[in-house]
Amino acid sequence: MSSYKPVAIPTYPKLGEKITQDTLYWKRYKTPVQIKEFGAVTKIHFSPIQPCSYAVTSSTRIHLYGQYSQEPMKTFSRFKDTAYCGTYRGDGKLLGAGCEDSVVQLFDISGKAALRQFSGHSKAVHFVDFTSDKYHIVSGSDDYTSKLWDIPNGIEITSYKEHTDYIRCGCTSPLNNDLFATGSYDHTIKVFDGRTDQSVMSMDHGQPVESVLLFPSGGLLVSAGGRYVKVWDILKGGQLLVSLRNHHKTVTCLSLSSSGQRLLSGSLDRHVKVYSTMNYKVVHSFDYAASILSLALAPDDQIIAVGMTNGVLNIKHRKPEEKKTLQSTAKRHPRYRVFVRGKDYMPKQDDIFVSKPVKAHLTKYDALLKGFHMSKALDAALQVRMKRPEVTVAVMNELKRRGTLKNALAGRDEKELSDLLIFLLKYLLSCCRPVFCNP
């Protein structure tokens, strides 16, 4: 006589987010700190040196915040109109900014008044950045021009007017002192060399360009505009490598992790997408309460700062890594080694292994099925219907297979039948319809 075979409980796929290493990494950021600014936060830039302070450009002010401060350490408010693009120099000692009144201003972090004011544009200056040699500053304006300025002498070195619409973004090369790129609403990205009088490369994004970013190696350039994020190979003459369309509205800002292995994009659809730069697949996503205008990641990846259209600055700090301490084992009773004796013995080739038969412990519904108590087995399965509905389904299928399901349901009162029908409506009728069908 064969032994009783327990009911096989099927496993079903669980709905929900797939847990990956990236999910665990990006979810290690704490509950955000939210700071209300005077207007929409159009630019966030972290100081490249420690301690990691950051500049926040909003309305007619630029606030400097410390790594953990919720109040500004310093405020630059000497702008006649809206300020744009507050950007640190590579040594963290100077801050450059544009303005609606067409002037490029240069500030000392330790002072308040502007060290330099560069006048030459005729319309608002939306883009300002420093070259890698720290002695020059680049600007882009709504007058369709981009200019290169000399900081020590306070003069204009060269001017380019190749764009046919507003210049709203740009970046400088981290390796080449003379190389910089600008993005315009004429759908193009142009790469300039300060030693020449015209652009050396031009790429068509296909949409008004809102943000551009150069990789630390200087070989790849990323542009954002419309719903698209595009990656270009500079070393191959501006060849398009990949075009990403993961946002539902205009992509407004880009940022890169310190390792260069993760690319972040923020959009008006209130999402920040994290891409792997190996295959450019989305590995994580953040949701925010309002449309995103600016995004920045600290040099050590410990802080994510996001600026929104409603004037809220959202700051997330990364939790410190948990140090695994070796827990000292409690003192065992002398009899403990009697129970573990021989557990770690490795059998040799000529040894004969004698094992004891393991007694199978049946669950309640299996024991009742083994004793042919069909109605009680169904009752036992219905007791766990809320926590483990797959068990209830498996027992019903087993009763149907045996042809005793009708007998198991007989003699039940209104309350028991009501609970059973609610269970059927919730689970079985949508996914296991054939359970009660006659063959």
Side-chain angles (χ1 to χ4, degrees):
M1 182 178 176
S2 61
S3 60
Y4 172 78
K5 186 178 179 180
V7 176
I9 307 300
T11 58
Y12 298 97
K14 294 183 178 180
L15 300 177
E17 184 180 13
K18 184 179 179 181
I19 303 299
T20 63
Q21 290 299 322
D22 276 285
T23 304
L24 298 175
Y25 178 87
W26 294 104
K27 280 194 171 183
R28 285 196 60 82
Y29 286 90
K30 300 177 183 177
T31 304
V33 175
Q34 296 193 348
I35 303 171
K36 180 65 176 167
E37 292 289 342
F38 291 93
V41 180
T42 56
K43 176 73 174 181
I44 305 171
H45 192 251
F46 280 90
S47 173
I49 62 169
Q50 297 292 340
C52 194
S53 60
Y54 52 95
V56 177
T57 307
S58 174
S59 185
T60 58
R61 296 173 172 85
I62 298 178
H63 293 306
L64 302 187
Y65 290 91
Q67 187 170 3
Y68 296 104
S69 65
Q70 298 185 24
E71 295 293 333
M73 301 187 304
K74 182 181 283 293
T75 300
F76 297 102
S77 58
R78 299 192 177 185
F79 295 94
K80 296 179 181 178
D81 209 328
T82 307
Y84 298 112
C85 200
T87 305
Y88 279 100
R89 195 169 72 169
D91 57 4
K93 295 180 180 179
L94 297 182
L95 184 79
C99 184
E100 189 70 30
D101 64 1
S102 75
V103 177
V104 179
Q105 299 197 49
L106 188 66
F107 298 94
D108 188 344
I109 297 301
S110 58
K112 287 187 177 181
L115 291 179
R116 291 277 192 275
Q117 289 190 344
F118 302 96
S119 300
H121 289 291
S122 58
K123 291 186 179 179
V125 179
H126 283 265
F127 152 62
V128 172
D129 201 359
F130 293 89
T131 58
S132 56
D133 63 1
K134 305 180 181 64
Y135 296 119
H136 302 92
I137 192 168
V138 181
S139 62
S141 170
D142 284 354
D143 61 7
Y144 311 164
T145 65
S146 55
K147 296 179 183 291
L148 182 65
W149 310 86
D150 181 68
I151 294 177
N153 298 317
I155 60 173
E156 176 185 320
I157 297 176
T158 184
S159 178
Y160 303 94
K161 191 174 182 180
E162 297 190 19
H163 287 292
T164 58
D165 208 333
Y166 300 154
I167 299 174
R168 290 296 173 91
C169 58
C171 60
T172 56
S173 171
L175 299 179
N176 192 319
N177 300 336
D178 302 297
L179 210 64
F180 65 94
T182 58
S184 169
Y185 277 9
D186 63 5
H187 301 186
T188 64
I189 306 106
K190 293 186 181 293
V191 180
F192 297 92
D193 189 324
R195 296 164 293 188
T196 63
D197 56 357
Q198 61 183 1
S199 63
V200 295
M201 197 177 300
S202 181
M203 293 151 283
D204 186 4
H205 182 83
Q207 300 284 339
V209 183
E210 299 285 350
S211 181
V212 294
L213 181 148
L214 270 168
F215 272 63
S217 63
L220 297 178
L221 183 142
V222 186
S223 62
R227 295 172 57 188
Y228 294 90
V229 175
K230 297 186 178 183
V231 183
W232 311 86
D233 192 337
I234 301 297
L235 302 180
K236 292 185 178 180
Q239 177 183 342
L240 178 63
L241 292 182
V242 63
S243 178
L244 309 172
R245 188 181 176 184
N246 299 101
H247 289 281
H248 302 295
K249 292 184 179 180
T250 300
V251 184
T252 56
C253 46
L254 298 168
S255 186
L256 197 65
S257 67
S258 59
S259 63
Q261 296 182 355
R262 295 294 180 267
L263 173 68
L264 285 76
S265 64
S267 167
L268 295 180
D269 63 5
R270 302 180 297 147
H271 289 86
V272 171
K273 304 285 185 182
V274 183
Y275 307 88
S276 168
T277 55
M278 300 296 291
N279 53 17
Y280 295 101
K281 300 291 185 182
V282 176
V283 296
H284 194 65
S285 179
F286 295 99
D287 300 335
Y288 289 87
S291 298
I292 298 168
L293 289 180
S294 53
L295 164 70
L297 197 60
D300 54 1
D301 297 343
Q302 296 299 307
I303 304 174
I304 296 178
V306 170
M308 292 173 271
T309 54
N310 59 358
V312 173
L313 175 65
N314 186 293
I315 308 295
K316 291 183 178 180
H317 292 83
R318 184 168 168 77
K319 297 177 184 177
E321 295 291 339
E322 296 178 356
K323 295 182 179 179
K324 296 182 179 179
T325 57
L326 295 175
Q327 296 180 353
S328 59
T329 57
K331 190 175 180 180
R332 303 287 188 180
H333 194 276
R335 286 197 298 268
Y336 174 75
R337 57 180 181 267
V338 175
F339 296 99
V340 298
R341 183 174 53 188
K343 294 287 187 182
D344 56 350
Y345 175 76
M346 298 298 293
K348 297 178 181 178
Q349 185 176 0
D350 299 331
D351 288 348
I352 299 174
F353 182 73
V354 179
S355 61
K356 294 181 180 180
V358 180
K359 185 178 179 181
H361 295 280
L362 298 177
T363 57
K364 185 177 180 180
Y365 55 84
D366 272 321
L368 291 169
L369 284 173
K370 184 179 179 182
F372 299 98
H373 302 289
M374 306 305 175
S375 182
K376 292 182 178 179
L378 182 57
D379 290 339
L382 288 171
Q383 289 177 359
V384 295
R385 66 185 185 277
M386 302 305 293
K387 293 183 178 180
R388 300 190 63 192
E390 67 275 9
V391 171
T392 309
V393 173
V395 172
M396 288 182 176
N397 280 316
E398 177 64 18
L399 293 172
K400 177 179 177 295
R401 187 186 69 83
R402 295 187 181 192
T404 57
L405 182 57
K406 186 175 181 180
N407 296 335
L409 292 171
R412 295 181 177 271
D413 58 19
E414 184 178 350
K415 176 66 170 61
E416 292 173 332
L417 290 175
S418 176
D419 292 341
L420 181 61
L421 288 173
I422 290 173
F423 176 81
L424 293 175
L425 290 172
K426 185 174 182 182
Y427 294 104
L428 298 185
L429 295 184
S430 60
C431 59
C432 300
R433 189 180 300 274
V435 170
F436 292 103
C437 294
N438 292 324

